[in-house]
Amino acid sequence: MNKDLLKMEDLSKDEILDILNLGDQLKYELKHGIKHHHLEGKTLGMIFEKSSTRTRVSFEAGMYQLGGYPLFLSSSDLQIGRGEPIQDTSRVLSRYLNGIMIRTFAQDEVNSLAESSSIPIINGLTDDEHPCQVLADLMTIREKKNTFDGLKVTYIGDGNNMAQSLIVGCLTVGMNISLAIPQNYMVKDYYIKKGQELSKNNNLNFIIVNNPEDAIKDADVVITDVWASMGKENEVNERLADFSAYQVNSKIMSLAKDDAIVLHCLPAHREEEITEEILEKHADTIFEEAENRLHVQKAILVKLVK
């Protein structure tokens, strides 16, 4: 693996499978009370410029279970909140810590942190990418379907960080992916080109359409996300109108395969992007997906923080 995990593109298929296999092992060991203190004496700094439930708790708990120490660093408490360049913060923290996880807005900030850091940097979320979540999604899909080969994943909703990371992650491991996204909320051109390249190289299907019914036909996995991510709160009313035809409900799910699973990275806005009925019908899978954030991130930490 590279020194850092900044985006899904940083990982080859073999590296993704390696992380998932280790995640499976660590999950088994935790369930059976087998201690795995691979990072005893190591410290992880966690910088948060965006609020969090799953990212913070899973990384904190995971680092503790690995025998290390997690250190929560709010941007309001750090000097970067008062204008210190991220490069200077990075060079200082590199002398104190064994790794840094950052959850922030701009991908460039994560990239700059990594460029000036001598320790591993893990992207806990940016506006462009959410690799830790997509790795947890892949872990869940493999648990439920026992394979990736030939599966069809359909994503319905905003062309956000989840959509962009899913394009790369799904095509890298051998799954077809179709996305239904309103025209004015499309993924960045870079990810469209990357998806076209990966699908061609791996002989897979990759399509982006505006009509959810065209995307979901015969899907094995259906994924959605909130319509207004953090930082888009001022667009809520406009987005509710623009995404009204993109709800994952019983009607749209009738077009997927009978044994299709539904994933949601949470938090969910019930009766907006997903109905109460569908969320509860697939709740076991969705909350297993949330749990898998813990296991897959522990695997990432073991691989990077040595």
Side-chain angles (χ1 to χ4, degrees), residues 150-154 170-171 174-178 203-206:
L151 292 181
K152 177 181 178 179
V153 174
T154 296
C170 290
L171 292 170
M175 292 190 291
N176 305 293
I177 185 167
S178 60
N203 196 28
L204 296 167
N205 295 321
F206 164 59

Side-chain angles (χ1 to χ4, degrees), residues 88-104:
D88 292 355
T89 298
S90 175
R91 285 184 284 187
V92 170
L93 294 181
S94 291
R95 296 167 183 260
Y96 299 153
L97 305 169
N98 302 106
I100 296 172
M101 186 282 300
I102 181 169
R103 181 178 171 94
T104 187

